[in-house]
Amino acid sequence: MFETLEDVRADCTNRLIRAAKDRKSPMHTPVIVTGDVDARVMVLRAFDSRAWTLRLHTDLRSPKAQVIAADPRMAVLFYDKGAKIQIRAHGEGQILTTGPQVDAAWAASTNFARRCYLGDGPGTASDVPTSGLPAEFEGVEPDDEQIIPARENFALLMITLTAFDWLYLAHTGHVRAQFTRTSDEWQGRWVSP
Ligand SMILES: Cc1cc2nc3c(=O)[nH]c(=O)nc-3n(C[C@H](O)[C@H](O)[C@H](O)COP(=O)(O)O)c2cc1C
């Protein structure tokens, strides 16, 4: 099944392609780790299998955006319980707020999804339980004019992967491989699980 390193790399590629496209994929919501040793779940929006880049969406005002701007080191953790496969990746993060990729991602969102960027920034303190949203948009989709102020808070987190560790749990014996990237080439090796 996984007899060569090329099989493993192809498995990883296929899983990440599916993870971005399929909401039901267990890898659709990886754990994203920043250089300040903090971690959180995020939705994987796209995977570019040529550049090995992940695209995620976030609020520019969120604490992680500042952390990544100062220290681009990132780790990303995926686990597919059914397939019994873990992927631990390392990469470099970049926060983008302008440019064609950001415009395209914003254009592809609905106003309902965009309204998350209309309220208070993530981590803003409150005396009462709060969604952070303006009261008039609780459960209500803003119109095209009302959504305009949200755009400046919307950011892409792009993570270019530079290494990954793949682990397959099997009764017959677990299998593990590691890959690192040098320019456009991936170098792989088998390691003991
Ligand atoms: C299933 C799930 C999906 C999430 N998706 C995102 C996301 O796509 N982008 C995002 O910024 N936060 C997302 N969050 C919220 C983050 O986990 C986190 O609470 C928030 O971004 C604040 O993180 P920070 O304080 O580290 O900046 C998601 C949380 C869950 C549970």
Side-chain angles (χ1 to χ4, degrees):
M1 191 174 163
F2 298 115
E3 279 168 11
T4 68
L5 288 165
E6 200 38 55
D7 292 342
V8 174
R9 202 166 70 87
D11 179 71
C12 242
T13 308
N14 293 336
R15 280 182 198 285
L16 296 186
I17 290 171
R18 186 185 149 214
K21 287 189 177 150
D22 180 359
R23 284 160 178 255
K24 291 193 180 134
S25 160
M27 295 191 169
H28 187 58
T29 48
V31 175
I32 306 292
V33 184
T34 34
D36 58 346
V37 203
D38 206 351
R40 76 287 289 153
V41 171
M42 292 177 76
V43 174
L44 178 64
R45 312 283 173 164
F47 170 61
D48 178 339
S49 60
R50 262 180 5 118
W52 277 76
T53 304
L54 309 176
R55 172 164 62 80
L56 306 104
H57 295 176
T58 199
D59 192 308
L60 181 63
R61 302 166 296 173
S62 67
K64 63 183 153 323
Q66 325 304 321
V67 172
I68 295 162
D71 177 357
R73 290 174 305 153
M74 311 279 315
V76 186
L77 178 62
F78 300 89
Y79 179 51
D80 183 331
K81 190 170 188 282
K84 294 184 276 185
I85 288 177
Q86 169 183 260
I87 300 171
R88 298 157 68 189
H90 283 98
E92 279 213 358
Q94 192 184 13
I95 296 287
L96 297 180
T97 55
T98 56
Q101 283 175 295
V102 193
D103 292 341
W106 184 252
S109 303
T110 62
N111 281 357
F112 202 75
R114 291 169 177 161
R115 90 193 200 294
C116 300
Y117 301 95
L118 208 49
D120 294 332
T124 304
S126 168
D127 292 337
V128 291
T130 179
S131 68
L133 291 172
E136 66 269 35
F137 299 130
E138 295 265 6
V140 174
E141 183 168 31
D143 66 26
D144 288 349
E145 196 164 320
Q146 290 166 324
I147 205 69
I148 291 170
R151 171 61 183 85
E152 66 181 21
N153 299 321
F154 176 70
L156 301 190
L157 166 57
M158 307 298 295
I159 305 175
T160 302
L161 301 184
T162 51
F164 66 90
D165 180 307
W166 175 97
L167 172 67
Y168 172 51
L169 304 175
H171 284 304
T172 46
H174 307 327
V175 188
R176 184 174 172 202
Q178 293 177 331
F179 293 80
T180 53
R181 192 177 181 178
T182 43
S183 62
D184 271 351
E185 291 282 302
W186 284 97
Q187 298 287 333
R189 61 175 190 162
W190 300 109
V191 293
S192 169

